[in-house]
Amino acid sequence: MLLRNLSFRHGSLSYIHYRLIHTPARVRFAPSPTGQLHLGGLRTALFNYLLAKKTGGQFILRIEDTDQSRYVEGAVESLIRALNWAGIYHDEGPDVNGPHVPYYQSQRTELYRDHAKKLLENGHAYRCFCTPERLSQVRESRQKAGNYIAYDKHCSYLSDEEVQANMDRQLPYTIRLRVPYDGHIEHQDLVYGHIKFSNKTMEDTILIKSDGYPTYHLANVVDDHQMEITHVLRGEEWLSSTPKHLLLYKALNWKPPLFAHLPLLLNMDGSKLSKRSGDVHVEQYIKRGYLPEAINNFVGLLGWNPNQSEQLFTMDELIQEFDIKDINHSGAVVDQQKLDWINKYHLLKRAETTEGLNSLVDMLKPLVDNDYGSKLQNTPYEYRTDTAYLYRVIDTIKERIRNIHDIPTLCRYYFEEPNYQSADALALKKKLKAPALDLIKDEQFLNHLESIEPFKAETIKSILFKEAETKQMNANHIMMALRYMTTGSKVGAGVAETMETLGKETVMNRLRYLN
């Protein structure tokens, strides 16, 4: 049973916080190569990275691939691509030389076996020869009796002679941690505070499987010690494993690192966010057009609150503001609308510079080529796939979109003729005023509009306002009629700015088409 006491002991926490802010942190992100990086994994990697950079320490990437049955080909490369896309670069890892190579656990198995042997020798572990059939029977029997500890310590009672006899018969065995019967393990978690674990609630967990490979528990502890990890930031689901790890540190006479367990990620309805859901994988966010700086900003706020009203951060600002004491222990809700809002902010920040706008063009062009390239090829409008035109489109519409993917879907009129029979167009048409439509259909007005040179937004607006004043009409009515006739959509930037981007020829063709 897990006992939590959240009334912190200030003396110990003061020392811990001193270590946090004055000691360069060596941290690690240790994913299993079982698929794509999900949002929770990215949050863990980001928080570790922020702590390392905040304290002038190092961020290590370690691949925990001891479960070969779950290994997915190409998963490691996919993980590294996703982290690099997010700007979370590791100082040591499988593709970066470091003092603790190799960084694949499957290549460190002899090291784990050596330490398991030491645990056997000092009595902190024992060989378990129980068959799968017996383990299943024991588990079922104990569950029926209301005992949630699945194993009954049967093999811990074997004499040395019995163990040797089983070894001579070459019976398969696992190596289990020998958990003391009495007592408890206390732990000062950097997020959850003082936590007390009763030994009676802990199972003699397996350290080495019958195939000779280590379990997560042993490999994790050995690697963290060997790689000089000072802080372990990981998901809340590992909180219940912490006493086992602390027992291992004690059995091996090692000083444990500081632990911080990050809160669960939740859906909007309060249910746990599943890593097996395809729409929470980082690669899906990349494909859907979210910016890395927006994803980092969004993920950084999942469980971390810098105690200020500001919600918008660059990576440098996240590093500057990050402090483990500001991590909450309550679940963090993944709010898609908040992500869209954050993404819009960072899109506008990018669009403030020529370099940033060009990067957005690089994202938009493949989308436009895919949706419209073949239709526009070898036509007078092929220029609509050119980078110069796309640059103008983004610069015009940036205030009205949340994601670069909005442009080819919501602003189709930049690339093809408007569909005046669409629901959007028909709804807009119903709002138009007859005097405004009559004015736009007037040949003299059209000729005046066509004579504008250069065809710029300011000049267009000046003429439209003068026409409205002369005709004693509402200028907004004229603008709405022009929006309908040039775009067929209520979604868009200012009318004059849209007309400038579309170009005089396209605008006049569309106006005369409806006359």
Side-chain angles (χ1 to χ4, degrees):
M1 182 178 179
L2 172 63
L3 306 173
R4 294 180 184 172
N5 175 10
L6 298 181
S7 57
F8 298 168
R9 292 180 297 178
H10 296 288
S12 60
L13 278 181
S14 297
Y15 169 69
I16 288 172
H17 195 254
Y18 179 87
R19 282 181 63 187
L20 274 174
I21 60 178
H22 290 89
T23 306
R26 274 185 64 82
V27 296
R28 47 65 167 182
F29 176 52
S32 298
T34 56
Q36 296 177 343
L37 180 66
H38 60 89
L39 212 57
L42 181 67
R43 196 265 304 264
T44 299
L46 176 64
F47 280 20
N48 275 283
Y49 177 82
L50 294 177
L51 179 61
K53 298 309 165 187
K54 176 71 176 280
T55 61
Q58 297 85 40
F59 173 66
I60 292 96
L61 177 64
R62 187 174 73 219
I63 305 301
E64 300 198 338
D65 59 342
T66 54
D67 189 348
Q68 293 292 296
S69 65
R70 298 177 62 222
Y71 178 81
V72 174
E73 190 70 35
V76 174
E77 293 76 13
S78 174
L79 284 164
I80 292 174
R81 278 197 306 272
L83 291 173
N84 288 346
W85 171 83
I88 302 174
Y89 300 105
H90 46 280
D91 300 298
E92 301 172 28
D95 60 336
V96 180
N97 288 330
H100 301 288
V101 292
Y103 292 91
Y104 287 94
Q105 285 191 337
S106 60
Q107 299 172 16
R108 300 167 64 87
T109 53
E110 285 304 317
L111 179 66
Y112 310 133
R113 293 187 188 115
D114 288 345
H115 284 88
K117 184 179 179 182
K118 292 177 182 177
L119 291 170
L120 288 170
E121 291 171 351
N122 64 23
H124 290 292
Y126 62 91
R127 292 180 176 88
C128 175
F129 299 92
C130 292
T131 64
E133 291 75 20
R134 181 185 186 279
L135 292 174
S136 179
Q137 291 172 0
V138 171
R139 181 168 55 251
E140 290 178 12
S141 174
R142 292 171 72 82
Q143 285 177 348
K144 287 178 182 178
N147 192 332
Y148 56 86
I149 302 298
Y151 186 56
D152 60 359
K153 292 178 177 282
H154 173 76
C155 289
S156 69
Y157 305 118
L158 297 178
S159 65
D160 292 343
E161 292 76 17
E162 289 173 311
V163 170
Q164 188 59 54
N166 288 337
M167 296 284 288
D168 292 341
R169 292 166 58 195
Q170 296 185 341
L171 294 182
Y173 64 88
T174 61
I175 297 178
R176 289 181 180 269
L177 174 67
R178 192 188 300 273
V179 177
Y181 289 104
D182 300 316
H184 55 264
I185 294 290
E186 292 191 61
H187 164 54
Q188 192 73 37
D189 191 88
L190 298 177
V191 174
Y192 284 82
H194 181 241
I195 301 176
K196 193 174 183 178
F197 304 89
S198 170
N199 288 348
K200 293 178 180 178
T201 66
M202 286 187 277
E203 187 166 11
D204 287 2
T205 191
I206 294 175
L207 303 178
I208 298 288
K209 294 176 287 187
S210 59
D211 61 4
Y213 273 90
T215 61
Y216 167 83
H217 304 291
L218 178 62
N220 173 276
V221 167
V222 171
D223 283 344
D224 283 349
H225 175 75
Q226 295 291 327
M227 295 182 182
E228 304 176 271
I229 300 301
T230 61
H231 304 72
V232 172
L233 279 67
R234 58 188 180 187
E236 184 192 76
E237 64 269 24
W238 294 110
L239 187 60
S240 60
S241 296
T242 304
K244 302 173 187 178
H245 301 166
L246 292 173
L247 281 173
L248 279 169
Y249 278 106
K250 186 176 181 180
L252 291 165
N253 199 28
W254 293 339
K255 180 180 179 181
L258 298 175
F259 289 92
H261 289 89
L262 311 179
L264 292 174
L265 298 187
L266 307 176
N267 294 306
M268 290 296 291
D269 62 3
S271 61
K272 181 181 176 182
L273 191 73
S274 173
K275 66 176 70 174
R276 293 175 177 83
S277 174
D279 58 359
V280 300
H281 292 145
V282 175
E283 288 192 4
Q284 290 302 312
Y285 287 99
I286 297 173
K287 290 177 181 177
R288 286 156 56 193
Y290 289 99
L291 303 175
E293 57 267 41
I295 291 292
N296 286 334
N297 188 162
F298 176 67
V299 169
L301 295 174
L302 293 175
W304 172 72
N305 184 349
N307 295 318
Q308 56 178 276
S309 59
E310 184 58 61
Q311 296 281 294
L312 300 167
F313 298 92
T314 64
M315 181 67 92
D316 286 342
E317 290 166 344
L318 285 172
I319 292 170
Q320 181 178 347
E321 295 294 332
F322 185 74
D323 195 321
I324 288 181
K325 68 180 177 62
D326 295 327
I327 297 176
N328 305 312
H329 56 77
S330 55
V333 175
V334 177
D335 184 342
Q336 183 66 45
Q337 290 187 342
K338 184 173 183 179
L339 172 57
D340 289 337
W341 173 71
I342 290 173
N343 197 71
K344 178 173 182 174
Y345 167 80
H346 286 285
L347 188 152
L348 289 173
K349 289 294 290 184
R350 272 208 196 194
E352 289 177 357
T353 67
T354 300
E355 181 183 2
L357 263 173
N358 285 332
S359 72
L360 294 174
V361 169
D362 290 341
M363 294 176 66
L364 177 60
K365 185 165 173 51
L367 304 175
V368 173
D369 287 343
N370 182 68
D371 291 353
Y372 304 103
S374 60
K375 302 174 187 175
L376 296 173
Q377 192 174 15
N378 299 323
T379 73
Y381 304 109
E382 192 170 7
Y383 69 87
R384 291 175 182 168
T385 64
D386 292 346
T387 55
Y389 179 74
L390 298 180
Y391 186 102
R392 295 196 299 274
V393 168
I394 295 173
D395 200 31
T396 302
I397 199 68
K398 62 190 178 186
E399 297 283 351
R400 299 292 189 271
I401 60 172
R402 298 173 300 177
N403 189 305
I404 206 70
H405 281 227
D406 291 342
I407 294 177
T409 54
L410 301 180
C411 308
R412 304 177 70 90
Y413 50 82
Y414 282 116
F415 311 103
E416 65 181 14
E417 296 311 301
N419 178 8
Y420 297 105
Q421 299 305 311
S422 69
D424 189 25
L426 293 174
L428 181 58
K429 186 177 181 180
K430 289 180 180 179
K431 299 179 181 180
L432 303 181
K433 305 299 181 182
L437 282 172
D438 291 340
L439 172 65
I440 294 173
K441 293 177 181 179
D442 182 74
E443 188 63 28
Q444 185 177 355
F445 172 81
L446 291 175
N447 289 335
H448 192 187
L449 203 60
E450 192 170 20
S451 69
I452 295 176
E453 194 62 45
F455 198 70
K456 297 293 184 182
E458 288 304 315
T459 311
I460 295 169
K461 279 191 278 191
S462 176
I463 287 176
L464 293 178
F465 280 113
K466 284 180 183 178
E467 285 285 345
E469 185 178 359
T470 301
K471 301 290 192 302
Q472 295 185 331
M473 296 172 61
N474 187 323
N476 288 334
H477 294 169
I478 300 174
M479 294 291 189
M480 187 178 293
L482 282 169
R483 181 180 297 282
Y484 165 75
M485 298 179 80
T486 57
T487 71
S489 174
K490 61 185 179 182
V491 177
V495 174
E497 289 77 11
T498 302
M499 290 169 65
E500 177 184 338
T501 299
L502 287 169
K504 184 193 294 186
E505 181 181 351
T506 295
V507 168
M508 299 313 302
N509 285 345
R510 292 179 182 179
L511 293 179
R512 288 200 162 96
Y513 169 79
L514 289 178
N515 280 338

